[in-house]
Structures are given as C-alpha cells and as structure tokens.
Amino acid sequence: MSSLDFLFNPGQIAVIGASRSPQKIGHAVLDNIIKSGFEGNIYPINPREEEIAGLKAYCSISDIGAPVDLAAISVPAKHVTAVAEECGRAGVKGLIVITAGFKEVGKEGLKQEQELISICKRYGMRMLGPNCVGLMDTHTPLNASFAEGFPNQGNISFISQSGAMLVSILDWSFEMGMGFSRFISAGNKADLTEIDLIESCADDPQTSVILCYVEDITDGERFVEVCSEASKKKPIIILKSGTSSAGAQAASSHTGALAGSNRAYDAAFRQSGVLRAESMNDLFDMARAFATQPLPGDARVAIITNAGGPGIVATDAVEKCGLKMARFNRETIDKLRGNLPSEANLYNPVDILGDARDDRYRFALEAVLEDENVDSAMVLLCPAAVTEPENTARTIVELNKKHDQKPVMAVYMGGKTLTEGRNYLTANSIPTFTFPEPSINSLSGMIRYNEHLKEPAPSEPVGLDNVSHDAVRKTLDCVFADRRVVLLGHEASNVMAAYGIQVSKTYLAASEEEAVEIGANLGYPVALKISSPRIAHKTDVGGVAIGLQSDNEVKRAYRKIMENVRYYLPDAPVYGIEVQDMVDEGVEVIVGMSRDVQFGPLVVFGLGGIYVNLLEDVSFRLASALTTREEVNKMITETKAYALLKGYRGEKPADIEALSDTILRTARLVTDFREITEMDINPVRVHNKGATALDVKITVEEVNEKK
Ligand code: COA
C-alpha cells in the first residue's frame, strides 16, 4: 500500500461544501464522486441541508461519527482553516483543498496558506492544493474534482501544476482516445508537491508512464533523489514551463552567464533519468508511445513507406534524433527482393511504392520485424487511389502483437481519407501520427529511457586526498572580515591549492621590492597582475604583464601597471600586484560553477578562453553528480574540446585524467562550501602531463548556517 493510498483509494470521502445547487463547485465535486462509481462511503457536509444527491448530509465532519480518510473542501477561503482544523480533530488523513484565494492572491492569502500547512502538520494530514481542481483515479474509481468528465481508463498518470491545463487535456484526451490511470491537479503545492505525487505514481501498479507539467520545482535536491529512484520504475516525462534566462543575464562570471535555470533543470532531469518534453505535443506524443509499446532494444529503426519524400523526411529525423537506420541482413533483403516490385527500394527506408496495397505493407513489415538488426519499425502511409488504410491498420496491429518485443509506430500522412484507419490504430494501441518527426522523436525518448534503465548503478564516489577544509574556511573568513564578495587572485589560488587543484603560484606584493623578491624566488619568467576586488577584467585596464625575465623588468612592469590603473580607474581600491609563475602550454578549457536556487551548484566544463560565451562548447552537471570519474569523463566527452584534448591534427594528447581530477575537486569544493556562489577557472591549462588552473575567479556570499 502506497503512502498516499488514502488520497487515491480512500475508504470514505467527505465533501465539505457539498451543495444542492448545480452551479456550485461543491455540487460538481459530489456529483463527480458519485458518477465515477466510487464504492466507499460518501458524506456530504453542509450545515443547511439534511440530504444532498440522495445521501444523508452532515452539519460538520465531527457529526459523522465514523472514520473518514479523505475530505474534499470547497467552502470559501475564509472558512477553510476552521474546516481543516475540524478534519484534523476528526482524524481525516488527507485533504483536497479546491478553494482558491491563498498564496496566489498575495500576502494575506499566503498567511492563510501557511496556517493551513501548520494545521496539516499538527494533525499529520497530507493536503493536495489549495487552489486545485482535485484528483481522479480511474482504477479506484474516484473522481474527486470539479472537472467536466472522467478520463478513459488507461495507464498514464498526469500531474499538473495548472488546473486549466488539466481540464483542457482531459477534454482533448476523449478526442484522442487516450486513457489515464490518474489525473492530479497539484494547485499551489502547499504540502504535496509533484515530487510526492511522482513518488506515489511510481508505486501505483496501474500506472506505467508518469507525465508532469510544472512551472517550478522548489526542492531540487529531493526532486533528484526521488526521481532518480522513481525513473528506474517508470518513465517520467516532464514539461517545464517558465524557464527564464533572467538569472543568467545577471551573472558576473562566464559560467553564470552560460548557466541559467534552464540548464540547471536540464542537468537535474538528466541526472534523475527524467525525460524533458519540449512542448505539450511532445509530452503526449511520448506518453502514447510509452503507454502502448515495448521499449526498443536499441536504436536501429526500419522505415516502410509508400512514398519517397516522406521516407526521406523520416530518415532525416532518425539522424537528427541520434537514432540509426537499421541495416537489414541478407535474408531480409532477399525476401524483400523476391516479393516486392523491381522498382521498390529494398534498403532502409523500404519504399514499397505508391501503388502499394495492404499485402505489400504486410510483407515488408513482417520481413523487417523478423530481422535481428531491427529494433523498431515505423510504417508510413500516404493516401493514393489504391491504398488500403484500414486493412493496413489491421495488419500493423496484428504484426505488432505477433512481434511484441519491438515497438511499431504508424504515420498516416493525410486527413479525412485516413481517419478510420488512424482511429483503428489508436484504439488498438499503435501510436499514430500525422507526420514522421514526432513519431521518431517519441521513439528517441524511449531509447534514451532504455539506456537510462541499462545504466549500471554509479560506482563509489572517488576519494580525494589533499583536501583541506580548514584552509579554505580561513581564506573565506578573511574575505568576509574584509566585507568583500570577490576573492583576490592569491586568495582564489590558495583555495584551489587547499583542495589539491594544481594552480599557478600566485603571491601578493604590496611594493615593487616585494614583487622583485617574489619574482626572484619563483624563478623567471613571471607574470604581474593587478589585485583589486573592483577589477574583474584586468587586461582591459592595462593591469597585466607577462613573460617578465628579470628584476628590472618586474620593477618597470610594476610601475607601469600602477600607472595604468590609476589612470583608467582612479577610484578602484588596489591591494597590490600579484606575482605569478608562468605556466607551461596546454589546451585551454574552462571549469566553473554557478549556484542554482533550486538545484544547488551547477558545474560547467568546456572550451576555455575569452570566446567561451560565444562558442558555448560546454557541458553541465549538478555538482552532486560529479563524484565518479565515469560521470566526469562523460561530461568531458560531450564537448568539442574533447577532440582537442585527445590530440587534434597530430598534437600530443593532453592529460585528461588530470583535468577530470580538477573537475572532481571543483565539484567537491563547491559542494562543501555553500558560500561559493560563482566560480570560473578560465583557463585551466591541460598539459601533456598535469593541468594547471591559471586564472581563478571566486564569488562568495556569507551563509548563516555554515557547513
Ligand atoms: N461547512 C460546510 N459547508 C459550508 C461551510 C462549512 N464550514 N461553509 C459554507 N458551506 C456551504 C455553503 O452553505 C454552500 O452550500 P449551499 O450552496 O447549500 O449554500 C457551499 O458550502 C459553498 O459555499 P458558498 O459560500 O456558496 O461558496 P461558493 O460555492 O460560491 O464558492 C469556492 C466556494 C470554494 C468554489 C470558491 O471560494 C472558490 O475558491 N472558487 C475557485 C475555485 C478554483 O478555481 N480552484 C482552483 C482551480 S485551478
């Protein structure tokens, strides 16, 4: 029994605010519960009525005198907390608060919502809403909502943050012939969120696909934790709206500007094995495929078509989605040759020509489904005078049943003349589309999901030596004591070194003499860089000199830099000049971090240098995912920079292991110190042996509860 059974399969349900008046929501909820065939006890609660819809009505929940699992509340907002309190006292386990007028209306509403949450906590009740349409479970059956209609029974659960979206999809689903196991309106998500609901649906035996429409996810960490587990049981497909780049625009670092919440959602979904839908169409297209077809073993697709053009479009879509056109074995080719007209194309896509009747479809489809080099098939049909769309539909259904390990999609490209065939296919669980691309896209979703299922459990996190938490703490304390939010170069360098990241040696010199002394100690050549919390782009103000070979060159450069900075930025506070050793050549990459409000530290890797933002050759991961070498290596190989690192055009390969060590340590550093809000190591120079952090920018913010 799932922990939310009292919500989806309650023994008894009370409707508080049940009304005889057909215009009232309280009437619709009661009516829906009765009509859905709910078999438990139903208690209408209304102090002014003795009977509603043939059921005895009660003044209040406490008058029932018997246990009640669930209460659906549709009384005006000002009465909701009192009613919830009564429910708590009566031992109700779950509330569905349909009433609007809470957090969404402003401060006063928010206060009421918080009160409602604390009542639920006090009595150990769980709450859906407020400000929601309610929920439906077609297998219980129960329709505890004020929506119009009850979905067809099926195996898809749909969770929606928007009530309007939910009722529209419900209406549309009748036309599409789609079936659902659960329909859930999450509303304001004051208590139960999509995370709890996904968790519950993953344990629901009647659900095989979980769909979700969300506008925000508030507990990123728990989302990743729960969905990582749930996605191993059922595919989870989420449409996330409202991702903005506002955060990215405000960021000061390269990484921050690249990141943005959309990237964080992408990284979090990927890490949790959640498939991200790009549109409403995408969401339901994938749902249909998952709900009706087996998962393909691999990515090799066979296409059968009666028209050349659409076959090419489908082939393009296969390549674009990263799938493969299947290469048939000799036996299949011979079979096709022996039974198709000589003008037919026997190779994938199999073109059975415009005059193809059902027999050719049957023959070709059977032949490719029998081929062990084929993992899935797509049947494309365009209407011509001799085409037999209905017979072919029956053939597709029959062969799909016969070869039940391989998914089949149908693309019936046309309108009116194909309606009956299309309806037959849909009614018989064949995902049917009007154009090829969405069908291939859905197939691609299934393949990605299958890969996720096959992924081995992550190995043990890599143990990192040479990590000094205290040294970083000490540096950060100094920065905060100085009331700064940006670390100076030598401080950033200390932080790197404290976490075992090889970094160019950087020391702060407060005078010309000191600079010379440091330079001589480091050994020439050295570089000088202005040290000021207000100067982020040092080269722009003439604040950098490199390749200095002697004491005299250091002296001269020191004076020149000071002069330049005084000229360009006379008001900038200057702490001195950093003296840095010159680092060997290597491939320049960026490793950075930007902290996402929902999901925490998001690490970026990519091609480094000043064109990072222009080229955007980057990959992202939540820092929490970067605990193993495999994951870090995957992150590196996703970029074009990887080709350079391997040794491009005869260059010697760079030390990828040293780079992955830098990424692992960076991820650990930003996980350990919540104070670090943004970070750029740009560039990290990856040599033939070793990797060195050259230019490090770290932005911090004091947090109350230090880790
Ligand atoms: N206990 C039991 N019944 C109560 C009650 C209480 N404490 N207080 C009021 N009632 C009864 C009323 O007497 C009325 O019954 P009646 O028709 O027999 O008189 C019924 O509950 C409803 O109360 P009423 O004052 O008529 O409110 P309403 O039906 O006009 O509006 C809501 C109530 C909840 C529908 C309304 O406040 C609301 O929130 N509407 C928006 C809902 C929404 O959009 N949700 C989000 C969707 S995404």
Side-chain angles (χ1 to χ4, degrees):
M1 180 161 165
S2 137
S3 57
L4 293 183
D5 247 30
F6 54 82
L7 207 61
F8 296 103
N9 193 5
Q12 322 74 24
I13 178 165
V15 181
I16 307 181
S19 169
R20 291 174 81 103
S21 165
Q23 304 85 3
K24 302 258 177 101
I25 284 185
H27 177 90
V29 175
L30 181 64
D31 197 42
N32 274 340
I33 296 172
I34 297 168
K35 282 193 185 140
S36 64
F38 178 66
E39 285 168 357
N41 290 337
I42 308 168
Y43 303 113
I45 313 283
N46 183 320
R48 305 188 331 169
E49 303 288 351
E50 300 208 330
E51 170 263 304
I52 304 174
L55 295 167
K56 176 176 165 35
Y58 296 82
C59 246
S60 81
I61 194 129
S62 45
D63 292 340
I64 297 171
V68 176
D69 279 344
L70 183 64
I73 301 177
S74 61
V75 298
K78 60 178 189 286
H79 300 308
V80 171
T81 45
V83 163
E85 181 84 41
E86 272 186 71
C87 287
R89 278 203 296 268
V92 171
K93 294 178 190 144
L95 302 180
I96 300 174
V97 182
I98 286 168
T99 310
F102 290 85
K103 160 176 105 173
E104 77 284 3
V105 297
K107 227 164 138 191
E108 206 36 52
L110 176 66
K111 222 171 107 195
Q112 280 226 57
E113 189 164 308
Q114 282 161 344
E115 207 179 321
L116 198 48
I117 296 169
S118 60
I119 293 168
C120 287
K121 281 216 174 101
R122 199 174 324 136
Y123 291 101
M125 286 185 293
R126 301 307 309 262
M127 168 176 62
L128 187 69
N131 188 29
C132 72
V133 173
L135 66 82
M136 301 169 224
D137 187 313
T138 59
H139 295 270
T140 298
L142 171 66
N143 182 357
S145 80
F146 69 93
E148 177 72 34
F150 193 45
N152 296 324
Q153 207 172 64
N155 56 353
I156 303 172
S157 276
F158 179 43
I159 301 158
S160 177
Q161 188 167 347
S162 150
M165 190 81 89
L166 190 106
V167 292
S168 301
I169 294 299
L170 175 61
D171 200 34
W172 170 84
S173 74
F174 297 126
E175 209 175 284
M176 297 304 293
M178 276 181 98
F180 289 85
S181 42
R182 289 175 176 177
F183 241 75
I184 312 160
S185 164
N188 288 6
K189 309 191 290 188
D191 174 34
L192 291 169
T193 68
E194 62 286 323
I195 307 176
D196 307 291
L197 299 168
I198 287 172
E199 194 174 32
S200 160
C201 291
D203 287 333
D204 172 29
Q206 306 296 348
T207 294
S208 50
V209 193
I210 302 166
L211 303 189
C212 206
Y213 165 78
V214 294
E215 283 150 20
D216 61 348
I217 288 167
T218 40
D219 186 350
E221 207 173 306
R222 188 164 166 253
F223 174 86
V224 171
E225 190 190 314
V226 168
C227 288
S228 301
E229 187 124 328
S231 67
K232 290 280 177 192
K233 301 178 189 167
K234 315 261 162 88
I236 304 167
I237 313 166
I238 300 186
L239 176 65
K240 158 80 180 79
S241 70
T243 43
S244 88
S245 53
Q249 278 155 15
S252 60
S253 65
H254 283 293
T255 307
L258 284 166
S261 73
N262 210 13
R263 304 268 202 181
Y265 274 100
D266 263 347
F269 284 11
R270 175 196 176 122
Q271 187 175 331
S272 331
V274 166
L275 295 167
R276 184 167 187 176
E278 297 299 332
S279 63
M280 289 300 286
N281 273 337
D282 200 18
L283 184 69
F284 286 95
D285 284 347
M286 280 205 258
R288 280 193 289 165
F290 274 108
T292 54
Q293 293 294 309
L295 290 177
D298 209 335
R300 300 164 303 176
V301 189
I303 296 171
I304 291 157
T305 176
N306 66 344
I312 299 172
V313 172
T315 307
D316 287 348
V318 165
E319 298 221 334
K320 204 166 142 205
C321 287
L323 310 187
K324 293 184 205 121
M325 290 295 282
R327 284 172 69 98
F328 303 140
N329 63 28
R330 183 175 290 271
E331 205 183 317
T332 306
I333 299 284
D334 288 345
K335 267 197 253 172
L336 292 173
R337 184 174 290 116
N339 289 277
L340 293 179
S342 57
E343 300 83 0
N345 182 34
L346 312 178
Y347 301 91
N348 206 3
V350 184
D351 187 348
I352 55 173
L353 306 177
D355 60 347
R357 291 178 184 274
D358 173 43
D359 57 340
R360 276 192 218 157
Y361 273 103
R362 172 179 288 278
F363 190 79
L365 182 58
E366 176 106 68
V368 300
L369 286 175
E370 278 170 358
D371 190 322
E372 74 273 7
N373 295 336
V374 171
D375 302 304
S376 60
M378 180 179 142
V379 180
L380 238 157
L381 180 143
C382 300
V386 297
T387 317
E388 297 174 316
E390 289 109 77
N391 283 346
T392 303
R394 275 187 278 278
T395 297
I396 297 171
V397 170
E398 182 194 321
L399 293 178
N400 182 225
K401 282 197 183 124
K402 190 169 163 194
H403 299 272
D404 60 2
Q405 304 295 315
K406 297 185 182 181
V408 175
M409 311 265 166
V411 176
Y412 267 38
M413 256 179 93
K416 223 162 131 196
T417 56
L418 303 183
T419 308
E420 269 190 45
R422 203 182 273 132
N423 289 348
Y424 182 85
L425 288 164
T426 305
N428 287 281
S429 300
I430 302 286
T432 307
F433 303 84
T434 310
F435 299 111
E437 295 92 333
S439 133
I440 297 295
N441 194 39
S442 307
L443 206 48
S444 142
M446 294 175 96
I447 290 162
R448 272 180 285 142
Y449 180 65
N450 205 20
E451 280 165 4
H452 166 67
L453 288 184
K454 286 190 211 156
E455 259 171 28
S459 45
E460 280 297 299
V462 178
L464 298 174
D465 55 1
N466 267 338
V467 166
S468 169
H469 201 271
D470 291 348
V472 176
R473 170 90 293 133
K474 222 166 116 190
T475 305
L476 295 188
D477 285 347
C478 288
V479 176
F480 293 133
D482 203 16
R483 295 183 177 282
R484 276 185 285 124
V485 291
V486 178
L487 270 65
L488 298 172
H490 69 288
E491 292 166 336
S493 175
N494 288 345
V495 168
M496 295 284 96
Y499 262 59
I501 298 169
Q502 187 177 319
V503 61
S504 59
K505 296 188 186 76
T506 307
Y507 299 94
L508 181 66
S511 67
E512 238 172 83
E513 295 70 33
E514 225 181 307
V516 169
E517 195 187 323
I518 298 169
N521 282 341
L522 279 174
Y524 293 116
V526 295
L528 296 195
K529 292 177 183 173
I530 190 72
S531 176
S532 164
R534 286 261 304 277
I535 306 176
H537 303 289
K538 298 172 184 161
T539 318
D540 297 354
V541 294
V544 177
I546 58 169
L548 307 171
Q549 297 283 4
S550 64
D551 294 1
N552 270 342
E553 280 187 30
V554 168
K555 265 190 207 162
R556 271 204 298 277
Y558 192 101
R559 264 176 243 151
K560 184 72 189 145
I561 288 176
M562 283 299 187
E563 235 171 65
N564 289 344
V565 171
R566 262 181 232 122
Y567 176 77
Y568 287 113
L569 288 172
D571 297 331
V574 171
Y575 285 63
I577 288 184
E578 285 152 7
V579 187
Q580 206 173 50
D581 62 347
M582 294 292 292
V583 172
D584 292 344
E585 290 303 302
V587 179
E588 297 203 337
V589 295
I590 180 172
V591 175
M593 185 279 299
S594 142
R595 198 166 285 276
D596 183 76
V597 201
Q598 266 34 282
F599 296 103
L602 179 70
V603 174
V604 67
F605 162 76
L607 200 59
I610 53 172
Y611 299 123
V612 169
N613 299 79
L614 178 71
L615 300 176
E616 287 209 17
D617 175 38
V618 282
S619 56
F620 288 87
R621 290 291 187 283
L622 297 182
S624 55
L626 294 172
T627 55
T628 65
R629 263 191 209 282
E630 299 91 82
E631 199 54 38
V632 173
N633 288 343
K634 266 197 228 160
M635 188 185 188
I636 296 173
T637 49
E638 275 167 29
T639 61
K640 293 198 181 96
Y642 177 58
L644 292 180
L645 291 162
K646 275 194 305 181
Y648 190 62
R649 294 187 168 225
E651 294 280 339
K652 275 195 187 161
D655 190 343
I656 294 177
E657 192 157 338
L659 167 64
S660 81
D661 198 62
T662 305
I663 298 176
L664 278 168
R665 287 172 187 276
T666 303
R668 172 79 179 273
L669 171 70
V670 297
T671 307
D672 288 353
F673 290 92
R674 285 200 295 144
E675 293 86 343
I676 302 180
T677 53
E678 268 183 58
M679 180 169 157
D680 263 354
I681 321 178
N682 186 20
V684 175
R685 216 173 253 179
V686 193
H687 320 294
N688 300 137
K689 185 130 192 52
T692 315
L694 218 67
D695 201 349
V696 187
K697 287 195 186 77
I698 298 179
T699 310
V700 289
E701 186 181 86
E702 248 177 307
V703 291
N704 296 330
E705 168 211 33
K706 287 181 181 171
K707 268 195 161 186

